[in-house]
Amino acid sequence: MTNDPKRNQEHDLLDEALFEAARGEIPPMSPDLPDRIMAKVDSTPRTHGRAWPLVIVAAAAAFLLIQILPFLTLERESAPSLPGEVREISSVTGEDIPVNFTLASGNLSLNVILPETEKALSKNRDGVISFARAVQNTTLLFSGQHLADD
Amino acid sequence: MDLSAPKTCFSTDKASADAESEWVARSREGDSDAFRRLVEEHSGWLYSYHYRLVGGREEAEDLVQETFLKAWKGIGSFRTGRPFRPWLFAIAHNVAHSALRKPRKVHIPLDEPDAPEPADPDSMDSRQQARLLAREVEKIVASLPLADRELFHLRYHEGLGPGELANLLGKTEGAISASLYRLKEKIRGKLDQPPSGRTPRHDK
């Protein structure tokens, strides 16, 4: 408001016009709109409660899977299939792991202590295979600690 | 004229608020009958809000429907004990703004029939003058940008004060007061222009 009565009168008139304009010119809503909305709602699934606990569980599961994936992968992978050399790493389970190699001309069993990281595991796996190649036609029990130190 | 508009669509008495809290709680459990009560309670002001922003009845009703569908899907994330209407408004605000960002049908009115000869304003009382002015204001508001139309509707249709608007739109009360002042001056400025000099709105 100002000290100018004419300006104040205009101000009041504009205010009144603004409220009047805001009230007018909105056609009524369809009376069946709530029914239409509920028909959609009834056919729409929704989340119950917050989704973040599920996200945390999924992230934890993914993290664990990544940690054990190298072991699982090693179990399935095949070594080079050359005549007379390593064909398959048949089983790797747990720590201080017995690794069974099937060779073309005999079997080789090793106890290997596998390191935790995938990178070291990969390096060791190559070492195991190299060793197996060198001792083909032989069956013996070997301490993998030598390989881990390699 | 009372311009303070003490009761707004965002202010409810305690009994209504308690009933609403119960409907919300039951809706969170998946009770669609309780959600229907919320739809019936809130579809009116949501429709007015969307209509003011999009300017067409069908489109406004579609946006009300979309608002409630999003509310239904997300009601599990609603924090119990908090007021429901501002939460619902935030959804409506996002729905409207994202709808207006997409290419859409533009309603171009046919030529208006010849208006009756305007009466001499000096011979009208203030109420009649305000009505005459209001018709001009409606046309001007329809030509304003989205944010201005939203502010106009919430202030003058819903009767929200600067404090409530600040909470609702996530701004400071000072910023809202300044925006309201600019909006009013913009409308006043356009009222002083001849109709041909008023530029159409751009929803950006």
Side-chain angles (χ1 to χ4, degrees), chain A residues 15 22 25 27 30 36 46-47, chain B residues 27-28 30 61 138 157 184:
Chain A
D15 268 334
E25 287 295 314
S30 303
R36 281 191 277 141
R46 68 180 190 85
T47 54
Chain B
S27 297
R28 280 167 57 86
E61 291 186 349
E138 280 174 33
H157 185 89
K184 203 166 161 181

Side-chain angles (χ1 to χ4, degrees), chain B residues 82-133:
Chain B
R82 311 262 303 178
F84 180 68
R85 291 175 193 223
W87 181 78
L88 190 60
F89 173 78
I91 297 174
H93 172 89
N94 291 338
V95 164
H97 282 247
S98 87
L100 288 169
R101 275 196 293 270
K102 296 175 191 164
R104 48 195 285 272
K105 291 179 197 167
V106 177
H107 300 277
I108 300 173
L110 300 173
D111 288 341
E112 292 177 9
D114 291 339
E117 194 68 28
D120 179 10
D122 292 335
S123 67
M124 292 191 260
D125 62 23
S126 65
R127 181 79 185 145
Q128 287 172 318
Q129 284 182 19
R131 280 189 188 147
L132 189 65
L133 202 55

Side-chain angles (χ1 to χ4, degrees), chain B:
Chain B
M1 181 185 177
D2 177 20
L3 301 181
S4 59
K7 182 165 169 49
T8 71
C9 75
F10 291 89
S11 62
T12 50
D13 55 56
K14 188 172 183 312
S16 304
D18 288 348
E20 186 167 279
S21 294
E22 192 188 329
W23 298 337
V24 171
R26 283 168 47 197
S27 297
R28 280 167 57 86
E29 302 299 319
D31 182 345
S32 64
D33 288 337
F35 193 75
R36 171 180 279 277
R37 303 295 297 271
L38 294 172
V39 169
E40 286 166 351
E41 179 74 17
H42 296 287
S43 47
W45 68 263
L46 278 175
Y47 167 75
S48 299
Y49 169 75
H50 285 307
Y51 183 88
R52 179 69 68 195
L53 266 52
V54 298
R57 178 175 163 170
E58 274 185 33
E59 204 174 353
E61 291 186 349
D62 286 347
L63 295 183
V64 174
Q65 182 168 294
E66 194 179 335
T67 301
F68 277 115
L69 283 179
K70 283 184 185 296
W72 172 248
K73 287 180 191 169
I75 200 164
S77 68
F78 174 75
R79 280 199 242 160
T80 43
R82 311 262 303 178
F84 180 68
R85 291 175 193 223
W87 181 78
L88 190 60
F89 173 78
I91 297 174
H93 172 89
N94 291 338
V95 164
H97 282 247
S98 87
L100 288 169
R101 275 196 293 270
K102 296 175 191 164
R104 48 195 285 272
K105 291 179 197 167
V106 177
H107 300 277
I108 300 173
L110 300 173
D111 288 341
E112 292 177 9
D114 291 339
E117 194 68 28
D120 179 10
D122 292 335
S123 67
M124 292 191 260
D125 62 23
S126 65
R127 181 79 185 145
Q128 287 172 318
Q129 284 182 19
R131 280 189 188 147
L132 189 65
L133 202 55
R135 284 204 287 275
E136 287 299 303
V137 169
E138 280 174 33
K139 290 176 195 164
I140 290 169
V141 168
S143 74
L144 293 177
L146 174 61
D148 286 342
R149 296 202 304 281
E150 182 175 51
L151 193 61
F152 173 83
H153 179 76
L154 293 172
R155 173 69 187 103
Y156 296 105
H157 185 89
E158 300 297 353
L160 301 186
E164 291 167 298
L165 284 166
N167 283 335
L168 211 56
L169 299 173
K171 295 181 178 174
T172 63
E173 204 170 321
I176 291 291
S177 296
S179 298
L180 284 170
Y181 177 79
R182 280 197 299 272
L183 173 64
K184 203 166 161 181
E185 288 305 304
K186 198 183 283 186
I187 292 170
R188 192 199 305 277
K190 284 179 184 279
L191 279 170
D192 293 339
Q193 287 176 11
S196 59
R198 296 171 193 161
T199 50
R201 76 188 186 203
H202 300 283
D203 288 329
K204 297 287 181 192

Side-chain angles (χ1 to χ4, degrees), chain A residues 5 7 24-25 39 46 51 65 84 91 93-95 100 105 118 142 144:
Chain A
R7 171 85 171 160
E25 287 295 314
R46 68 180 190 85
L65 187 61
S91 68
T93 50
E95 287 191 8
N100 299 313
S105 52
E118 185 182 5
F142 183 79

